[in-house]
């Protein structure tokens, strides 16, 4: 049930969103730049990051039942002054060269330059995660022994970049250097996209013909019912998990294909279903298809956890479970078209984070953003992260900025214990400077940590050892840690005029220079906490700063 004060926050955002609503649009993927004047959203709708005392923030945190034992990580978190926690991510699509690279066939240097520009943009706009599409069509934007180099990378499927480099490793290293979590986005079943050039001998379609199906729109699909399909995609996923130091594996909404991909005709798996019945299978064809996908989702989750428990598994299904869930909702039925029982996966906890694609506006009655978000949260029986996907590509004008910020505020109000959202996609943020600057000025003014995942790891990191050196009008805070390889970020807390504030720094930083005084108020206390890969924060120990004001 929603707490009253959080509901009021969401309601305020909802009301403001109404003022900026226009008719619904499909997702626009134009890459043309635009220049717009930045609008200031009224202060009461923006994130006003509180600078509060430890006692005040502890009072705001949810109270655990007496019978529940507080974990070491929770105890450590409660010892710290306030730090904003919110998952802030953007999808970076490589299929059809939507976001990166800008076109196929660019040189290695050009590809890397574009990648760095995108990552710098996210860092500078206070995002903390990136969802990077590394497998758009049973191909690879990384060195793979199982699938060919991507057409969207070099313009020729199977051809490696020249001079050679591994794009996935490059993106991963550059993201981590900037303090961004790196999630690898894969399409589990799509084998060839209609924009992916000709089906060549290098294609997975030719290499694995036994489980490939041709659709009438020019795409090829791996048959989800076949064990060979599931085994192959599992091997691809686990190859990435084992070889790369990633933070997450991410699937989107493509399970069985949309009906339009086969021009309205049924998916061609009649022979497979007949064989299933011959062998004693009793499920109807729709239930059989859903069972195929369910088993695969559960399998991938368990395999990832067995290999690297700290790697998150996330799915971003179509945003409507079924029409009528809840009753006011209308739209496509993913349960009967994509054969995706997306509610089940969330109910069973086979994921670490769930990002239903809620690509509609707040006031769009049949597909209302807050109504759908509330329904999905009610299905979140295992208290996994629920970070909805939001569509930010409604234009570069002020109404879209208000709509976007209002949706972010609604997630904060409705999901107070694990705030967050994923933006579709990075393209509109680049295309509409008014939008990206407005989000930064209002919702993302202060950096945030990714919410912790206590079911993955609930041990707090060790406390950093902190030293303070005063030099003239400045104070240098230095620190070291006994297990630096386990640290992903640092939070430096500092107090002026009796109020705590903070800065989040990347793992390679070991010092921060602070002024001795601000507006006549002396720097009085500091403290440094370590944050690990799953978001756990070390215990906070404050140190007094002994200075003499000039």
């Amino acid at each position: 049930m929603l707490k009253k004060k959080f509901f009021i926050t969401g309601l305020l955002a909802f009301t403001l969103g109404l003022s900026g609503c226009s008719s619904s649009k499909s997702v626009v993927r134009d890459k043309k730049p635009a220049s717009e004047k930045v609008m200031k959203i009224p202060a009461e709708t923006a994130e006003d990051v509180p600078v509060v005392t430890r006692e005040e923030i502890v009072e705001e945190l949810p109270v655990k039942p007496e019978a529940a034992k507080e974990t070491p990580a929770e105890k450590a978190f409660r010892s710290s002054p306030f730090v904003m926690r919110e998952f802030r991510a953007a999808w970076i699509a490589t299929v059809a060269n939507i976001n990166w690279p800008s076109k196929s066939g660019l040189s290695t240097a050009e590809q890397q330059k574009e990648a760095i520009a995108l990552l710098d943009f996210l860092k500078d706009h206070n995002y903390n995660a990136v969802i990077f599409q590394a497998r758009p069509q049973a191909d690879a934007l990384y060195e793979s022994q199982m699938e060919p180099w991507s057409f969207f990378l070099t313009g020729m499927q199977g051809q490696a970049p020249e001079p050679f480099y591994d794009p996935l490793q490059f993106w991963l290293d550059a993201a981590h250097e900037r303090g961004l979590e790196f999630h690898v986005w894969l399409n589990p079943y799509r084998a060839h996209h209609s924009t992916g050039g000709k089906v060549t001998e290098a294609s997975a379609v030719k290499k694995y013909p036994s489980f490939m199906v041709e659709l009438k729109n020019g795409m090829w699909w791996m048959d989800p019912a076949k064990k060979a399909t599931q085994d192959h995609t599992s091997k691809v996923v686990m190859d990435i998990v084992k070889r790369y130091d990633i933070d997450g594996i991410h699937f989107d909404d493509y399970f069985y294909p949309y009906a339009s991909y086969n021009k309205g005709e049924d998916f061609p798996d009649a022979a497979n279903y007949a064989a299933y019945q011959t062998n004693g299978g009793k499920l109807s064809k729709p239930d059989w298809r859903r069972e195929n996908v369910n088993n695969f989702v559960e399998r991938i989750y368990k395999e990832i956890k067995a290999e690297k428990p700290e790697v998150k598994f996330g799915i971003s299904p179509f945003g409507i479970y079924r029409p009528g869930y809840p009753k006011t909702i209308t739209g496509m039925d993913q349960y009967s078209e994509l054969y995706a029982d997306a509610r089940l996966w969330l109910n069973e906890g086979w994921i670490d984070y769930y990002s239903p694609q809620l690509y509609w506006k707040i006031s769009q009655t049949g597909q209302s953003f807050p109504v759908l978000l509330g329904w999905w949260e009610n299905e979140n029986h295992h208290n996994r992260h629920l970070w909805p996907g939001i569509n930010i590509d409604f234009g570069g004008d002020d109404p879209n900025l208000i709509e976007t910020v209002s949706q972010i505020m609604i997630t904060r109000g409705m999901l107070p214990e694990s705030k967050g959202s994923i933006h579709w996609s990075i393209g509109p943020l680049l295309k509409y400077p008014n939008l990206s600057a407005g989000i930064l000025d209002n919702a993302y003014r202060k950096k945030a940590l990714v919410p912790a995942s206590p079911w993955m790891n609930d041990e707090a990191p060790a406390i950093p050892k902190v030293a303070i050196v005063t030099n003239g009008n400045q104070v240098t805070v230095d620190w070291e840690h006994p297990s630096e390889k386990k640290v992903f970020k640092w939070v430096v807390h500092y107090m002026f005029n009796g109020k705590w504030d903070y800065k989040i720094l990347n793992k390679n930083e070991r010092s921060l220079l602070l002024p001795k005084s601000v507006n006549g108020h002396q720097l009085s206390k500091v403290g440094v906490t370590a944050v690990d890969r799953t978001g756990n924060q070390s215990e906070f120990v404050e140190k007094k700063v002994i200075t003499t004001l000039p």
Side-chain angles (χ1 to χ4, degrees), residues 17 26 34 49 72 98-99 146 172 199 215 235 286 298 301 316 320 327 405 407 497 522 544-545 548:
S26 59
V49 176
I98 291 173
N99 298 135
M146 288 176 280
L172 171 59
V199 176
L215 304 178
K235 288 178 183 177
E298 182 182 14
Y301 178 72
S316 56
I320 298 170
K327 291 187 180 301
V405 173
Q407 290 192 8
N497 193 28
Q522 185 175 354
K544 291 185 178 180
V545 180
T548 303

Side-chain angles (χ1 to χ4, degrees), residues 205-469:
V205 172
K206 296 290 188 179
K207 190 173 182 180
Y208 309 109
S210 65
F211 51 89
M212 296 293 172
V213 173
E214 186 176 10
L215 304 178
K216 293 187 178 300
N217 72 339
M219 290 191 187
W220 285 80
W221 219 259
M222 290 180 274
D223 188 340
K226 292 198 172 181
K227 184 177 184 297
T229 293
Q230 299 179 23
D231 289 346
H232 175 73
T233 300
S234 169
K235 288 178 183 177
V236 170
V237 170
M238 296 312 299
D239 176 54
I240 294 173
V241 170
K242 291 175 182 178
R243 291 197 293 124
Y244 296 91
D245 188 27
I246 61 173
D247 301 290
I249 289 289
H250 183 95
F251 287 172
D252 54 22
D253 59 322
Y254 295 106
F255 294 97
Y256 278 83
Y258 285 87
S260 61
Y261 292 2
N262 205 38
K263 296 187 176 180
E265 295 187 17
D266 193 29
F267 186 76
D269 58 358
N272 293 342
Y273 181 63
Y276 162 78
Q277 290 179 306
T278 299
N279 290 326
K282 302 298 183 183
L283 294 176
S284 67
K285 182 183 281 189
D287 286 342
W288 170 73
R289 287 173 175 171
R290 281 185 286 270
E291 186 73 3
N292 294 327
V293 178
N294 294 340
N295 291 338
F296 179 69
V297 169
E298 182 182 14
R299 171 182 177 175
I300 293 297
Y301 178 72
K302 290 181 176 178
E303 288 179 346
I304 291 172
K305 296 307 166 187
E307 180 66 31
K308 285 185 181 178
E310 70 277 12
V311 172
K312 299 183 183 78
F313 179 45
I315 300 179
S316 56
F318 184 73
I320 298 170
Y321 170 62
R322 302 198 75 180
Y325 291 79
K327 291 187 180 301
T328 58
I329 295 301
T330 61
M332 195 198 80
D333 188 342
Q334 70 171 321
Y335 184 84
S336 62
E337 182 170 328
L338 304 182
Y339 303 97
D341 192 352
R343 178 173 68 175
L344 177 70
W345 314 332
L346 182 60
N347 290 166
E348 295 293 334
W350 293 338
I351 41 81
D352 297 301
Y353 69 95
Y354 223 44
S355 303
Q357 297 175 17
L358 307 185
Y359 287 171
W360 304 280
K361 294 185 177 183
I362 294 166
S363 64
Q364 192 167 326
T365 305
Q367 302 83 32
S368 171
F369 175 85
V371 173
L372 285 166
L373 182 60
W375 185 87
W376 284 107
E377 173 59 9
N378 286 336
E379 298 296 330
N380 190 10
H381 300 164
H382 290 266
N383 294 318
R384 298 303 197 236
H385 299 302
L386 182 61
W387 298 324
I390 64 176
N391 178 15
I392 59 173
D393 200 2
F394 287 116
D397 54 8
D398 291 346
N400 186 36
L401 174 55
I402 293 174
E403 176 76 26
T404 299
V405 173
S406 294
Q407 290 192 8
I408 293 171
M409 296 303 172
I410 285 172
T411 64
R412 292 176 181 177
M414 296 179 70
L415 311 170
E417 295 182 38
S418 180
K419 307 174 185 70
S421 59
I422 308 178
H423 296 185
W424 174 258
S425 64
I426 196 172
L429 295 172
L430 302 170
K431 183 169 57 173
Y432 305 127
N434 179 62
L435 176 64
S436 53
I439 295 171
L440 178 63
D441 287 348
N442 294 281
Y444 292 175
R445 277 184 293 170
K446 194 78 171 175
K447 287 186 180 294
L449 296 175
V450 172
S453 304
W455 59 91
M456 295 170 60
N457 172 19
D458 61 4
E459 291 297 320
I463 302 170
K465 183 178 179 181
V466 180
I468 302 170
V469 178

Side-chain angles (χ1 to χ4, degrees), residues 27-67:
V27 176
V28 180
R29 294 174 177 170
D30 186 1
K31 300 178 185 177
K32 295 180 181 177
S35 177
E36 302 283 352
K37 181 180 72 173
V38 176
M39 185 205 75
K40 296 287 186 181
I41 291 181
E44 64 268 25
T45 71
E47 172 197 6
D48 188 6
V49 176
V51 183
V52 297
T53 65
R54 170 164 38 99
E55 291 77 14
E56 287 172 325
I57 189 59
V58 166
E59 191 175 66
E60 293 293 324
L61 292 171
V63 178
K64 295 175 71 65
E66 290 185 7

